[in-house]
Amino acid sequence: MENEMYSGIFTPIVTPFDSDGKIDFTKMDHNLERWSDTKLSGMVVAGSNGEAPYLTIEERLLLARHVVERCPKKTILLGTGCESTETTMALNSRAADLGVQGVLVLPPHYYKATMTEDVLFRYFSDLADASPISMLLYNIPGNTGIHLSAQLVKRLAKHEKIAGIKDTSGNIVHLSEMIHLINDPFSIFAGNASYLLPALVMGAAGGTLALANILPDDCCRLRKLYQESLFQEAAGLQLQMLDINRLVTAQHGIPGLKYALGLLGYKGGETRRPLLPLSREGKESIQAALTQYGALK
Amino acid sequence: MENEMYSGIFTPIVTPFDSDGKIDFTKMDHNLERWSDTKLSGMVVAGSNGEAPYLTIEERLLLARHVVERCPKKTILLGTGCESTETTMALNSRAADLGVQGVLVLPPHYYKATMTEDVLFRYFSDLADASPISMLLYNIPGNTGIHLSAQLVKRLAKHEKIAGIKDTSGNIVHLSEMIHLINDPFSIFAGNASYLLPALVMGAAGGTLALANILPDDCCRLRKLYQESLFQEAAGLQLQMLDINRLVTAQHGIPGLKYALGLLGYKGGETRRPLLPLSREGKESIQAALTQYGALK
Amino acid sequence: MENEMYSGIFTPIVTPFDSDGKIDFTKMDHNLERWSDTKLSGMVVAGSNGEAPYLTIEERLLLARHVVERCPKKTILLGTGCESTETTMALNSRAADLGVQGVLVLPPHYYKATMTEDVLFRYFSDLADASPISMLLYNIPGNTGIHLSAQLVKRLAKHEKIAGIKDTSGNIVHLSEMIHLINDPFSIFAGNASYLLPALVMGAAGGTLALANILPDDCCRLRKLYQESLFQEAAGLQLQMLDINRLVTAQHGIPGLKYALGLLGYKGGETRRPLLPLSREGKESIQAALTQYGALK
Amino acid sequence: MENEMYSGIFTPIVTPFDSDGKIDFTKMDHNLERWSDTKLSGMVVAGSNGEAPYLTIEERLLLARHVVERCPKKTILLGTGCESTETTMALNSRAADLGVQGVLVLPPHYYKATMTEDVLFRYFSDLADASPISMLLYNIPGNTGIHLSAQLVKRLAKHEKIAGIKDTSGNIVHLSEMIHLINDPFSIFAGNASYLLPALVMGAAGGTLALANILPDDCCRLRKLYQESLFQEAAGLQLQMLDINRLVTAQHGIPGLKYALGLLGYKGGETRRPLLPLSREGKESIQAALTQYGALK
């Protein structure tokens, strides 16, 4: 049973930087204007694709305020997960003050062996108890090395402030098990476009998709095809997305995504170090994939 | 594009043993009779669920002949993958002589570091060149530690004797990539019931499912619901299957599956050592799950 | 060939907190006084055992200044690795101003798939180019999911500012390969006490050991036994350390280490959230292991 | 405390095949004669390096008889681990009849999830109860995906027929923990030459080493240097061995080892399919490493 505010397609937006490594708000605004004109339900600010680990706390908040002001019709989430409970808690409070609708929270993950289910349950519960706004859990074991089990998520879903999860585990059975186990209002999002349709079919509320930075309309269209029971068309579109999606996520990461934005009339800007600019070979493969896809001529 | 003979629901049947460790053909026949009356497309003899690693070559062939004779209306596959090319090749030939329609072939996997894509390509190609009947690849990295990449499978699919794959990787994106990449006639089967519907939606030809030992009709019904575009019902059934499926595959393996067979009027028989009988706790959880599912009162 | 300043036994010191979560400098000073009286070569401030991920930048610097002042005879290193190049670079500069002798630098690790050898080489090279003081690399794949290969370390060891590595991979062959490959002055430290002797035998410069928080003299004695070629005694001591070492590192982490400190007359203080206090069972096993070891009566 | 018969350097000998894939006993005898003249304590027939997975049961026994007759002064072990308890048990009995001194037994590993510690304990205990001769456990998780924990090995070491373990986990802490935990007579062997010295220092009884196929004298010399407390020389030799050892084990496996045998006057013969002949690049790197090592001019 999904939460109304948390359904549809969200995109974790990139943060364009200028050549001095500063946030480039001109480029940001260019993108925001375009995304505002789409059917996207919302945006995640300072998520993984926003280079959150390379942003200061103040920068995250600055970005949040900026996006909230410019995109009044979209649901805006802020990525706030830090390693310490206190830091994340304080950030959640300040995020609420700025008017973001919810926060997306990574599990702490540096001390992997110590991050037992009890520790994780307590971490998220403590945050939820203190949070003025709703929270989404963020399961991305490829980056954190921590997997939020279906049983843990079920326990957390009982908290009224915990409204959903972005599941980037890529495991459709795990996603299905959460849907099966959880009876509370709770929105489960596919965390990567490569399995959006399977997730929707099993009952996901939507997707929070890096790919929606560059192909927001098509991501929304895939969901619409599903909702209209046009499964063959939906499956065809899903299959067509696989190549370009892989290139701008798993294979080339943020440098790939920013390069693709530039090709499609958005403004990706620079990345922050240690990320390096995309290789020539990477650029060529993305250009070829976007052409093959039909997004470039 | 799927191969006609290779579509629908198959089940890798268990091999019942008596208390002396001999194959119990009486129990086997009891089960075969029931499975023959279902809509199952076929059966795999001496697959993973048939305790193939505990069978001699002669036993595998004996079982194949037995099942072929008793189930003339079903497509019968024999699991033949051994570590050495020559052993598997000889087994494939003898299987063909017995009248099985195809063979299901594991990759060699003991020398994991040496099993490069080139070695695997050559292994399967050599077998296919020599095989009188069609072959299905078997990707089950949880047991073998070897993953057949989508690119490798695409190359192999060009061989006219290589008719499909049972993919038990559990990775719906990998399965989707194979469907997207392969243009030759090739049948892709979900290798576990926990993601049958997502696999069908993406274009899989069917499933080869341990769960179909105990719930053949429901596995077939799930596929029918999908074919009739009754997606909500299909998703509901898929979710309902998750618990019992997990118990008789990942969690308790063959001892769990054989116990469940007994509860449902089939005859599981004993397992061979080193497998141990199911614990009391395991028995209780399977009984509870089958009751919850509605298969037991 | 090891760097003179970087040899012997170092300990990554814990950071005691009070019940309000503030750094407890009284407890810290108690410990520093005792550690100053040992044969430890030096201390790492704000390393993994210092709860670095739960400290702000300002707290790390405050701690560094504090320890430098109180322990003038020890080599003091500061853990400075953050995800972004710029943040780490700035922290390194400020650390140098405070008089720490060197910095211990984690690889960036959130975007694991993007952290290629080229990215990591550039990250550490950029830092070293800008660093006023020497740097030690920190390889701890269990926490970061990133492994610094021997070939990468060899390339980095050529930089005059890169003086060594703390290798907590636990892979004695990897450690041996680095010793074999690297001809530049470079100090290789065992990163865990469980393989200190094997590392020393292969040519390591010493160890940077959580266990040296609680058993500094014995860790130094193990090295002395090795230096005096008393190998049987050294091996005996090494074996004896395994249990308690496992309990205060892999098994119970920082809560375990802080509890053990308390038992031995040090002052561990509280941990910061999300870490939870040690369970009763954990406490009992640590007490038993320290008694068995002979450190407690 | 090691078992007298099981100490020193053993080598798991390769099985040379002719171009028709038959065992080439002429080549075998050439090698046996040379190995007989070394200080090797013994040989393992039909171990991993003997291509055991590609041999029939009868071939394993034929080889065992052959080697026992030709090498009366060496301790001869036969690799007998099959997936099923009964098959391995029967093979152990026949091996004893042929005069081999002991058997080296892999854990069953196909059904990884079902191979709990209880199943593994029972498997090895059942075999030991029935075995006329002593057994060595074989821990090689890189090939089997199964790790024999120190606690499990401790339990098994109590059985009078279980005389030791070949530990190819490469984890020196695991090896040390076994030495620390086990009080029964039990011989622990390093399973790869890359950590022979660290293993000996911690108390291992010796090594069972693929590298000893090609460099038996040097492997024995490394142990002698250790026994004479010439640690610097021992460490120097250990480091020198790393490159060639990696090339003929992890990197190029049996094709690499057989090629190296040929370069050094032994006779490697062909491999069985699916193994492919060594690439030209592989050949060049092995030649270069052996030259660098000093074994080739």
Side-chain angles (χ1 to χ4, degrees), chain A residues 78-86 88-89 92 103-109 115-141 144 146-149 151-166 178 186, chain C residues 273-276:
Chain A
L78 181 65
T80 60
C82 300
E83 284 284 334
S84 107
T85 304
E86 261 64 30
T88 310
M89 203 178 272
N92 286 349
V103 288
L104 178 65
V105 185
L106 276 176
H109 52 274
M115 294 299 106
T116 59
E117 296 235 338
D118 280 351
V119 166
L120 294 171
F121 178 75
R122 181 72 175 274
Y123 174 78
F124 285 115
S125 298
D126 285 350
L127 291 179
D129 287 347
S131 181
I133 53 180
S134 56
M135 279 172 52
L136 269 73
L137 310 174
Y138 188 5
N139 189 38
I140 181 166
T144 64
I146 299 283
H147 180 61
L148 305 180
S149 76
Q151 289 294 345
L152 172 63
V153 176
K154 178 188 170 73
R155 287 169 68 199
L156 289 167
K158 294 187 193 305
H159 199 294
E160 62 171 359
K161 284 286 170 47
I162 299 182
I165 188 168
K166 172 179 181 181
M178 290 191 295
F186 193 74
Chain C
R273 293 195 286 177
L275 295 180
L276 295 179

Side-chain angles (χ1 to χ4, degrees), chain A residues 2-190:
Chain A
E2 71 202 42
N3 185 307
E4 210 168 313
M5 185 169 72
Y6 295 121
S7 69
I9 307 300
F10 284 68
T11 192
I13 63 174
V14 304
T15 309
F17 297 102
D18 64 23
S19 55
D20 294 332
K22 299 234 167 61
I23 298 172
D24 188 326
F25 284 101
T26 310
K27 292 199 167 92
M28 174 67 88
D29 288 345
H30 174 93
N31 298 340
L32 291 175
E33 205 168 311
R34 284 191 55 179
W35 289 322
S36 290
D37 285 344
T38 66
K39 298 218 168 67
L40 288 174
S41 298
M43 285 171 256
V44 180
V45 175
S48 294
N49 287 288
E51 296 176 56
Y54 307 150
L55 299 173
T56 65
I57 295 284
E58 297 308 319
E59 285 176 326
R60 292 198 201 195
L61 291 164
L62 195 64
L63 283 165
R65 179 197 304 270
H66 192 87
V67 176
V68 164
E69 281 172 7
R70 267 154 197 78
C71 304
K73 296 186 180 160
K74 303 296 186 192
T75 299
I76 306 301
L77 300 171
L78 181 65
T80 60
C82 300
E83 284 284 334
S84 107
T85 304
E86 261 64 30
T87 310
T88 310
M89 203 178 272
L91 186 47
N92 286 349
S93 283
R94 294 179 65 188
D97 293 344
L98 295 175
V100 308
Q101 280 86 347
V103 288
L104 178 65
V105 185
L106 276 176
H109 52 274
Y110 184 71
Y111 300 109
K112 297 192 200 313
T114 319
M115 294 299 106
T116 59
E117 296 235 338
D118 280 351
V119 166
L120 294 171
F121 178 75
R122 181 72 175 274
Y123 174 78
F124 285 115
S125 298
D126 285 350
L127 291 179
D129 287 347
S131 181
I133 53 180
S134 56
M135 279 172 52
L136 269 73
L137 310 174
Y138 188 5
N139 189 38
I140 181 166
N143 284 15
T144 64
I146 299 283
H147 180 61
L148 305 180
S149 76
Q151 289 294 345
L152 172 63
V153 176
K154 178 188 170 73
R155 287 169 68 199
L156 289 167
K158 294 187 193 305
H159 199 294
E160 62 171 359
K161 284 286 170 47
I162 299 182
I165 188 168
K166 172 179 181 181
D167 183 20
T168 314
S169 71
N171 183 338
I172 193 71
V173 181
H174 175 249
L175 192 144
S176 301
E177 282 180 344
M178 290 191 295
I179 290 168
H180 183 51
L181 279 172
I182 297 172
N183 299 312
D184 303 275
F186 193 74
S187 292
I188 295 174
F189 288 93

Side-chain angles (χ1 to χ4, degrees), chain C residues 3 5 192 265 281:
Chain C
N3 185 308
M5 186 170 71
N192 187 287
E281 193 191 3

Side-chain angles (χ1 to χ4, degrees), chain A residues 48 86 110-111 126 273, chain C residues 48 86 110-112 126 273:
Chain A
S48 294
E86 261 64 30
Y110 184 71
Y111 300 109
D126 285 350
R273 292 194 289 177
Chain C
S48 295
E86 262 62 33
Y110 185 71
Y111 300 108
K112 296 191 201 314
D126 285 351
R273 293 195 286 177

Side-chain angles (χ1 to χ4, degrees), chain B residues 98-147:
Chain B
L98 296 175
V100 308
Q101 281 85 347
V103 290
L104 178 65
V105 186
L106 276 176
H109 52 274
Y110 184 72
Y111 301 109
K112 297 192 200 314
T114 319
M115 294 299 107
T116 59
E117 296 235 338
D118 279 351
V119 167
L120 294 171
F121 178 75
R122 182 71 174 275
Y123 174 78
F124 286 115
S125 299
D126 285 350
L127 291 179
D129 286 347
S131 181
I133 53 179
S134 56
M135 280 171 51
L136 270 71
L137 310 174
Y138 189 4
N139 189 38
I140 180 166
N143 283 15
T144 63
I146 299 283
H147 180 62

Side-chain angles (χ1 to χ4, degrees), chain D residues 206-221:
Chain D
T208 303
L209 312 172
L211 189 71
N213 272 273
I214 57 170
L215 298 172
D217 291 330
D218 286 359
C219 291
C220 293
R221 184 159 65 89

